[in-house]
Amino acid sequence: MTKKRDRLHIIYDILKAIQQKNGKIKPTHILYKSNLSHQMMTEYLNELIEKGFVVESKTSSGSTYSLTQKGFDYVAKYKMIFEFVDSFGLS
Amino acid sequence: MHEIYQVPLWFLKLDIAMELIFAVITLLVCLYSFKIYKLAEQRQSKIFGISFLLISLSYFVRFIISTIMAFKLNTSFLNPNVLYNLNYLSNIGIYVYMLLFIAGLLTLTYMTFKTKNFEVYILLLITIILAIVFSFNALYVFYILFYILLAFILVYYLQNYIKSKNKKTFIVLAAFSLLFLSSIYFMIPGNNIIYYMISHFFELMAYLLILTDLIIIIKK
Protein backbone atom coordinates (compact mmCIF):
# COMPACT_ATOMS: atom_id res chain seq x y z
CA MET A 1 0.00 0.00 0.00
CA THR A 2 1.20 3.49 -0.75
CA LYS A 3 1.36 6.27 1.80
CA LYS A 4 -1.50 8.13 0.14
CA ARG A 5 -3.61 5.01 -0.22
CA ASP A 6 -3.26 4.54 3.50
CA ARG A 7 -4.22 8.12 3.95
CA LEU A 8 -7.36 7.79 1.80
CA HIS A 9 -8.20 4.63 3.72
CA ILE A 10 -7.60 6.20 7.14
CA ILE A 11 -9.96 9.04 6.21
CA TYR A 12 -12.49 6.43 5.07
CA ASP A 13 -12.11 4.54 8.38
CA ILE A 14 -12.68 7.69 10.43
CA LEU A 15 -15.72 8.77 8.40
CA LYS A 16 -17.12 5.21 8.35
CA ALA A 17 -16.75 5.01 12.15
CA ILE A 18 -18.74 8.23 12.53
CA GLN A 19 -21.37 7.00 10.06
CA GLN A 20 -21.76 3.68 11.91
CA LYS A 21 -22.47 5.54 15.14
CA ASN A 22 -25.51 7.14 13.52
CA GLY A 23 -23.46 10.08 12.32
CA LYS A 24 -22.30 11.22 15.77
CA ILE A 25 -19.26 9.96 17.66
CA LYS A 26 -16.95 10.76 20.57
CA PRO A 27 -13.20 11.05 19.91
CA THR A 28 -12.43 7.96 22.01
CA HIS A 29 -14.53 5.85 19.63
CA ILE A 30 -12.75 7.30 16.63
CA LEU A 31 -9.43 6.52 18.28
CA TYR A 32 -10.49 2.92 18.79
CA LYS A 33 -11.99 2.42 15.33
CA SER A 34 -9.27 4.17 13.31
CA ASN A 35 -6.35 2.60 15.14
CA LEU A 36 -4.39 5.84 15.23
CA SER A 37 -2.34 7.61 17.87
CA HIS A 38 -4.12 10.47 19.64
CA GLN A 39 -1.92 13.02 17.90
CA MET A 40 -2.52 11.54 14.46
CA MET A 41 -6.26 11.32 15.04
CA THR A 42 -6.37 14.97 16.12
CA GLU A 43 -4.46 15.97 12.98
CA TYR A 44 -6.81 14.00 10.75
CA LEU A 45 -9.91 15.32 12.51
CA ASN A 46 -8.70 18.91 12.24
CA GLU A 47 -8.07 18.41 8.53
CA LEU A 48 -11.47 16.78 8.02
CA ILE A 49 -13.17 19.67 9.86
CA GLU A 50 -11.19 22.21 7.83
CA LYS A 51 -12.13 20.50 4.55
CA GLY A 52 -15.79 20.23 5.53
CA PHE A 53 -16.17 16.46 5.93
CA VAL A 54 -16.86 16.57 9.66
CA VAL A 55 -18.33 19.07 12.14
CA GLU A 56 -17.43 19.28 15.79
CA SER A 57 -20.09 19.90 18.45
CA LYS A 58 -18.95 20.91 21.91
CA THR A 59 -21.17 19.87 24.83
CA SER A 60 -20.73 19.87 28.61
CA SER A 61 -19.61 16.23 28.43
CA GLY A 62 -16.98 16.91 25.73
CA SER A 63 -16.76 17.05 21.95
CA THR A 64 -18.68 14.94 19.48
CA TYR A 65 -18.13 14.69 15.75
CA SER A 66 -20.69 14.26 13.02
CA LEU A 67 -20.57 13.87 9.26
CA THR A 68 -21.51 16.58 6.81
CA GLN A 69 -23.08 15.72 3.45
CA LYS A 70 -19.58 15.87 2.00
CA GLY A 71 -18.48 13.27 4.54
CA PHE A 72 -21.38 10.98 3.65
CA ASP A 73 -20.56 11.39 -0.05
CA TYR A 74 -16.92 10.42 0.57
CA VAL A 75 -17.96 7.20 2.33
CA ALA A 76 -20.46 6.35 -0.42
CA LYS A 77 -18.03 7.03 -3.26
CA TYR A 78 -14.84 5.81 -1.57
CA LYS A 79 -14.35 2.82 -3.87
CA MET A 80 -14.65 4.99 -6.96
CA ILE A 81 -12.28 7.61 -5.50
CA PHE A 82 -9.75 4.92 -4.62
CA GLU A 83 -9.96 3.24 -8.06
CA PHE A 84 -9.42 6.55 -9.87
CA VAL A 85 -6.55 7.66 -7.64
CA ASP A 86 -4.89 4.23 -7.89
CA SER A 87 -5.26 3.89 -11.67
CA PHE A 88 -3.91 7.32 -12.59
CA GLY A 89 -1.19 7.32 -9.94
CA LEU A 90 -2.64 10.20 -7.98
CA SER A 91 -1.65 8.80 -4.60
CA MET B 1 4.98 24.91 -39.18
CA HIS B 2 3.02 24.02 -42.27
CA GLU B 3 3.91 20.32 -42.08
CA ILE B 4 0.77 19.52 -40.14
CA TYR B 5 -1.45 20.55 -43.01
CA GLN B 6 0.52 18.91 -45.83
CA VAL B 7 -2.02 16.10 -45.93
CA PRO B 8 -4.86 15.27 -48.36
CA LEU B 9 -8.17 17.01 -47.75
CA TRP B 10 -9.93 13.72 -46.98
CA PHE B 11 -7.37 13.02 -44.28
CA LEU B 12 -7.72 16.55 -42.94
CA LYS B 13 -11.41 15.77 -42.39
CA LEU B 14 -10.55 12.51 -40.62
CA ASP B 15 -7.98 14.45 -38.62
CA ILE B 16 -10.66 16.92 -37.55
CA ALA B 17 -12.89 14.09 -36.32
CA MET B 18 -9.98 12.58 -34.36
CA GLU B 19 -9.07 15.94 -32.82
CA LEU B 20 -12.65 16.31 -31.60
CA ILE B 21 -12.55 12.77 -30.13
CA PHE B 22 -9.25 13.54 -28.33
CA ALA B 23 -10.67 16.82 -27.04
CA VAL B 24 -13.83 15.16 -25.71
CA ILE B 25 -12.01 12.21 -24.06
CA THR B 26 -9.46 14.45 -22.34
CA LEU B 27 -12.28 16.76 -21.24
CA LEU B 28 -14.10 13.77 -19.71
CA VAL B 29 -10.96 12.79 -17.79
CA CYS B 30 -10.62 16.39 -16.63
CA LEU B 31 -14.24 16.59 -15.44
CA TYR B 32 -13.97 13.27 -13.63
CA SER B 33 -10.74 14.38 -11.92
CA PHE B 34 -12.45 17.53 -10.69
CA LYS B 35 -15.34 15.38 -9.43
CA ILE B 36 -12.85 13.24 -7.46
CA TYR B 37 -11.22 16.42 -6.17
CA LYS B 38 -14.59 17.73 -5.03
CA LEU B 39 -15.32 14.45 -3.24
CA ALA B 40 -11.93 13.82 -1.65
CA GLU B 41 -10.25 17.28 -1.60
CA GLN B 42 -7.16 15.54 -2.93
CA ARG B 43 -4.59 17.94 -4.40
CA GLN B 44 -3.16 15.48 -6.93
CA SER B 45 -6.62 15.01 -8.51
CA LYS B 46 -6.93 18.77 -8.99
CA ILE B 47 -3.51 19.02 -10.69
CA PHE B 48 -4.33 15.98 -12.85
CA GLY B 49 -7.64 17.62 -13.83
CA ILE B 50 -5.91 20.89 -14.76
CA SER B 51 -3.38 19.03 -16.91
CA PHE B 52 -6.14 17.27 -18.86
CA LEU B 53 -8.08 20.54 -19.15
CA LEU B 54 -5.06 22.15 -20.84
CA ILE B 55 -4.60 19.14 -23.14
CA SER B 56 -8.30 19.17 -23.98
CA LEU B 57 -8.21 22.90 -24.78
CA SER B 58 -5.20 22.31 -27.03
CA TYR B 59 -7.15 19.72 -29.04
CA PHE B 60 -10.18 22.01 -29.24
CA VAL B 61 -7.93 24.74 -30.66
CA ARG B 62 -6.54 22.28 -33.23
CA PHE B 63 -10.05 21.13 -34.04
CA ILE B 64 -11.28 24.71 -34.65
CA ILE B 65 -8.24 25.66 -36.75
CA SER B 66 -8.41 22.46 -38.82
CA THR B 67 -12.15 22.91 -39.38
CA ILE B 68 -11.64 26.46 -40.63
CA MET B 69 -8.76 25.28 -42.85
CA ALA B 70 -10.72 22.39 -44.36
CA PHE B 71 -13.79 24.58 -44.97
CA LYS B 72 -11.83 27.47 -46.49
CA LEU B 73 -9.64 25.22 -48.64
CA ASN B 74 -12.81 23.73 -50.05
CA THR B 75 -14.42 27.07 -50.88
CA SER B 76 -11.57 29.52 -51.64
CA PHE B 77 -8.79 27.35 -52.88
CA LEU B 78 -7.11 29.70 -55.33
CA ASN B 79 -7.61 33.07 -53.64
CA PRO B 80 -4.09 34.23 -52.55
CA ASN B 81 -5.41 36.60 -49.87
CA VAL B 82 -7.46 33.84 -48.29
CA LEU B 83 -4.49 31.47 -48.45
CA TYR B 84 -2.26 34.09 -46.78
CA ASN B 85 -4.81 34.59 -44.00
CA LEU B 86 -5.22 30.84 -43.61
CA ASN B 87 -1.48 30.40 -43.27
CA TYR B 88 -1.36 33.15 -40.64
CA LEU B 89 -4.32 31.66 -38.75
CA SER B 90 -2.78 28.18 -38.94
CA ASN B 91 0.54 29.42 -37.50
CA ILE B 92 -1.19 31.22 -34.61
CA GLY B 93 -3.39 28.17 -33.97
CA ILE B 94 -0.44 25.79 -33.94
CA TYR B 95 1.44 28.02 -31.48
CA VAL B 96 -1.59 28.13 -29.16
CA TYR B 97 -1.97 24.35 -29.52
CA MET B 98 1.69 23.70 -28.72
CA LEU B 99 1.70 26.00 -25.69
CA LEU B 100 -1.50 24.52 -24.25
CA PHE B 101 -0.45 20.93 -24.91
CA ILE B 102 3.05 21.30 -23.48
CA ALA B 103 1.64 23.19 -20.46
CA GLY B 104 -0.73 20.24 -19.95
CA LEU B 105 2.12 17.73 -20.11
CA LEU B 106 4.22 19.86 -17.75
CA THR B 107 1.31 20.02 -15.27
CA LEU B 108 1.01 16.24 -15.45
CA THR B 109 4.77 15.87 -14.89
CA TYR B 110 4.54 18.29 -11.95
CA MET B 111 1.80 16.08 -10.48
CA THR B 112 4.12 13.06 -10.66
CA PHE B 113 6.80 14.95 -8.66
CA LYS B 114 4.36 15.16 -5.72
CA THR B 115 5.89 18.41 -4.62
CA LYS B 116 3.92 21.23 -3.06
CA ASN B 117 6.44 23.78 -4.28
CA PHE B 118 4.38 25.85 -6.73
CA GLU B 119 7.35 28.07 -7.64
CA VAL B 120 9.01 25.08 -9.31
CA TYR B 121 5.96 24.68 -11.56
CA ILE B 122 5.85 28.39 -12.45
CA LEU B 123 9.58 28.44 -13.24
CA LEU B 124 9.30 25.39 -15.52
CA LEU B 125 6.18 26.79 -17.20
CA ILE B 126 7.83 30.14 -17.98
CA THR B 127 10.93 28.34 -19.28
CA ILE B 128 9.05 26.07 -21.69
CA ILE B 129 6.81 28.89 -22.95
CA LEU B 130 9.84 31.08 -23.66
CA ALA B 131 11.66 28.14 -25.29
CA ILE B 132 8.78 27.58 -27.73
CA VAL B 133 7.92 31.21 -28.43
CA PHE B 134 11.51 32.43 -29.01
CA SER B 135 12.94 29.42 -30.83
CA PHE B 136 13.72 29.50 -34.55
CA ASN B 137 11.96 26.19 -35.02
CA ALA B 138 9.15 25.99 -32.47
CA LEU B 139 7.94 22.62 -33.73
CA TYR B 140 11.32 20.96 -33.02
CA VAL B 141 11.47 22.48 -29.54
CA PHE B 142 7.87 21.37 -28.96
CA TYR B 143 8.65 17.76 -29.86
CA ILE B 144 11.87 17.71 -27.83
CA LEU B 145 9.95 19.00 -24.78
CA PHE B 146 7.13 16.55 -25.58
CA TYR B 147 9.54 13.59 -25.47
CA ILE B 148 11.34 14.77 -22.33
CA LEU B 149 8.12 15.37 -20.36
CA LEU B 150 6.46 12.21 -21.63
CA ALA B 151 9.57 10.18 -20.71
CA PHE B 152 9.22 11.40 -17.11
CA ILE B 153 5.49 10.56 -17.16
CA LEU B 154 6.16 7.12 -18.64
CA VAL B 155 8.72 6.25 -15.96
CA TYR B 156 6.22 7.35 -13.30
CA TYR B 157 3.41 5.20 -14.73
CA LEU B 158 5.79 2.26 -15.13
CA GLN B 159 6.62 2.54 -11.42
CA ASN B 160 2.92 2.87 -10.66
CA TYR B 161 2.22 -0.33 -12.59
CA ILE B 162 5.10 -2.23 -10.92
CA LYS B 163 3.76 -1.12 -7.53
CA SER B 164 0.14 -2.16 -7.98
CA LYS B 165 0.31 -4.61 -10.95
CA ASN B 166 -3.31 -4.48 -11.98
CA LYS B 167 -5.21 -4.15 -15.26
CA LYS B 168 -6.09 -0.48 -14.81
CA THR B 169 -2.55 0.74 -14.12
CA PHE B 170 -1.34 -1.32 -17.11
CA ILE B 171 -3.91 0.35 -19.38
CA VAL B 172 -2.72 3.80 -18.27
CA LEU B 173 0.92 2.77 -18.89
CA ALA B 174 0.01 1.42 -22.34
CA ALA B 175 -1.90 4.63 -23.15
CA PHE B 176 1.04 6.90 -22.34
CA SER B 177 3.43 4.57 -24.20
CA LEU B 178 1.25 4.87 -27.31
CA LEU B 179 1.11 8.63 -26.88
CA PHE B 180 4.92 8.63 -26.77
CA LEU B 181 5.04 6.56 -29.97
CA SER B 182 2.40 8.73 -31.63
CA SER B 183 4.86 11.49 -32.45
CA ILE B 184 7.61 9.21 -33.65
CA TYR B 185 6.77 10.15 -37.26
CA PHE B 186 8.29 13.52 -36.56
CA MET B 187 11.69 11.86 -36.10
CA ILE B 188 11.44 10.07 -39.45
CA PRO B 189 12.83 12.10 -42.38
CA GLY B 190 10.47 13.22 -45.14
CA ASN B 191 6.80 14.03 -45.02
CA ASN B 192 5.29 10.59 -45.34
CA ILE B 193 1.51 10.51 -45.04
CA ILE B 194 1.59 6.85 -43.93
CA TYR B 195 3.71 7.65 -40.86
CA TYR B 196 1.45 10.59 -40.10
CA MET B 197 -1.61 8.32 -40.25
CA ILE B 198 0.04 5.63 -38.10
CA SER B 199 0.97 8.23 -35.53
CA HIS B 200 -2.64 9.43 -35.42
CA PHE B 201 -3.79 5.84 -35.02
CA PHE B 202 -1.46 5.44 -32.01
CA GLU B 203 -2.79 8.68 -30.57
CA LEU B 204 -6.38 7.47 -31.04
CA MET B 205 -5.55 4.14 -29.37
CA ALA B 206 -3.91 5.97 -26.46
CA TYR B 207 -6.99 8.09 -25.75
CA LEU B 208 -9.35 5.15 -26.24
CA LEU B 209 -7.35 3.22 -23.62
CA ILE B 210 -7.67 6.14 -21.19
CA LEU B 211 -11.41 6.22 -21.90
CA THR B 212 -11.61 2.45 -21.31
CA ASP B 213 -9.90 2.89 -17.95
CA LEU B 214 -12.32 5.65 -17.01
CA ILE B 215 -15.32 3.47 -17.99
CA ILE B 216 -13.99 0.55 -15.90
CA ILE B 217 -13.69 2.86 -12.88
CA ILE B 218 -17.13 4.43 -13.33
CA LYS B 219 -18.82 1.05 -13.82
CA LYS B 220 -17.47 -0.35 -10.52
Side-chain angles (χ1 to χ4, degrees):
Chain A
M1 274 195 172
T2 64
K3 193 182 166 194
K4 201 72 181 183
R5 182 145 76 176
D6 284 343
R7 186 177 168 71
L8 281 175
H9 201 82
I10 290 167
I11 291 170
Y12 174 74
D13 284 342
I14 294 171
L15 298 178
K16 188 80 181 167
I18 302 172
Q19 191 192 39
Q20 280 170 348
K21 283 276 178 180
N22 296 321
K24 214 162 198 180
I25 196 169
K26 286 187 174 182
T28 44
H29 284 107
I30 299 174
L31 204 61
Y32 167 69
K33 291 271 185 184
S34 61
N35 202 20
L36 290 169
S37 69
H38 186 269
Q39 192 195 335
M40 287 293 283
M41 185 202 68
T42 310
E43 280 177 24
Y44 272 104
L45 277 176
N46 287 339
E47 191 189 328
L48 290 173
I49 292 166
E50 193 188 314
K51 289 181 172 175
F53 291 98
V54 167
V55 281
E56 185 182 17
S57 310
K58 285 184 177 165
T59 61
S60 55
S61 58
S63 296
T64 58
Y65 297 92
S66 50
L67 291 187
T68 61
Q69 188 54 49
K70 203 171 173 181
F72 280 109
D73 288 344
Y74 184 96
V75 175
K77 306 270 173 69
Y78 170 72
K79 200 174 175 189
M80 186 186 76
I81 295 167
F82 172 74
E83 292 283 342
F84 188 83
V85 166
D86 187 51
S87 299
F88 290 102
L90 309 180
S91 51
Chain B
M1 215 80 81
H2 314 137
E3 291 93 329
I4 286 182
Y5 296 111
Q6 286 176 4
V7 293
L9 196 59
W10 66 267
F11 188 72
L12 189 58
K13 286 175 182 174
L14 186 67
D15 209 23
I16 290 166
M18 282 201 212
E19 278 154 13
L20 187 61
I21 291 167
F22 303 158
V24 171
I25 293 173
T26 46
L27 186 64
L28 282 174
V29 176
C30 154
L31 293 174
Y32 209 76
S33 301
F34 287 143
K35 187 184 173 182
I36 297 294
Y37 172 68
K38 204 180 161 194
L39 281 167
E41 292 271 343
Q42 204 226 15
R43 188 173 176 267
Q44 301 299 93
S45 305
K46 185 171 75 175
I47 301 170
F48 189 76
I50 293 168
S51 73
F52 270 83
L53 177 65
L54 289 165
I55 292 170
S56 180
L57 286 173
S58 75
Y59 281 120
F60 273 116
V61 167
R62 242 174 79 172
F63 165 73
I64 293 164
I65 297 296
S66 302
T67 308
I68 295 168
M69 295 288 288
F71 179 75
K72 289 284 183 187
L73 284 175
N74 253 345
T75 55
S76 332
F77 190 67
L78 291 172
N79 187 331
N81 283 336
V82 172
L83 282 177
Y84 175 79
N85 289 335
L86 280 179
N87 191 36
Y88 183 73
L89 182 73
S90 134
N91 281 346
I92 296 288
I94 294 300
Y95 263 104
V96 175
Y97 159 76
M98 287 192 298
L99 292 174
L100 285 169
F101 194 89
I102 223 70
L105 278 188
L106 176 73
T107 311
L108 192 57
T109 313
Y110 173 71
M111 185 281 292
T112 68
F113 293 159
K114 292 174 184 171
T115 174
K116 287 189 176 177
N117 194 338
F118 192 62
E119 285 88 351
V120 170
Y121 174 71
I122 295 297
L123 176 71
L124 288 170
L125 190 65
I126 292 169
T127 309
I128 59 160
I129 289 171
L130 292 179
I132 290 175
V133 171
F134 290 106
S135 70
F136 287 111
N137 195 327
L139 209 57
Y140 274 102
V141 174
F142 169 77
Y143 278 107
I144 289 165
L145 290 170
F146 174 92
Y147 283 119
I148 292 170
L149 293 172
L150 215 53
F152 272 93
I153 294 165
L154 261 181
V155 169
Y156 177 77
Y157 281 114
L158 179 65
Q159 287 169 342
N160 191 48
Y161 170 67
I162 292 167
K163 202 164 61 185
S164 54
K165 279 194 177 143
N166 63 49
K167 190 171 74 182
K168 293 188 296 299
T169 51
F170 178 75
I171 291 173
V172 174
L173 173 65
F176 281 101
S177 304
L178 282 169
L179 204 59
F180 187 83
L181 289 172
S182 73
S183 290
I184 215 84
Y185 82 95
F186 189 75
M187 308 301 281
I188 299 162
N191 192 16
N192 195 322
I193 183 73
I194 300 294
Y195 294 136
Y196 186 75
M197 286 163 80
I198 291 170
S199 77
H200 267 57
F201 177 73
F202 281 156
E203 207 173 355
L204 180 66
M205 286 296 111
Y207 288 116
L208 286 178
L209 281 176
I210 288 174
L211 183 66
T212 307
D213 218 34
L214 200 61
I215 291 167
I216 293 170
I217 295 164
I218 293 169
K219 274 193 168 180
K220 278 205 170 181

